Amino acid sequence: MNHLLATYIDLIQSIGFIFLLFLVAFISRKLFLDNKKDNYIEAVKIKVDE
């Protein structure tokens, strides 16, 4: 294996690793933020007409 091919393989692996890291961070952030959004009760003003 020559130096150019090894460098190209290294580049592809680095891009793949960065992509997977970004994907894991995005998915875990999305899961945790969506979970926190649904765990609170909104204040509601109720008006009763008699």
Side-chain angles (χ1 to χ4, degrees), residues 31-42:
L31 284 175
F32 287 126
L33 286 181
D34 285 350
N35 206 6
K36 286 181 184 174
K37 267 188 217 173
D38 296 334
N39 281 343
Y40 70 92
I41 299 172
E42 296 179 8

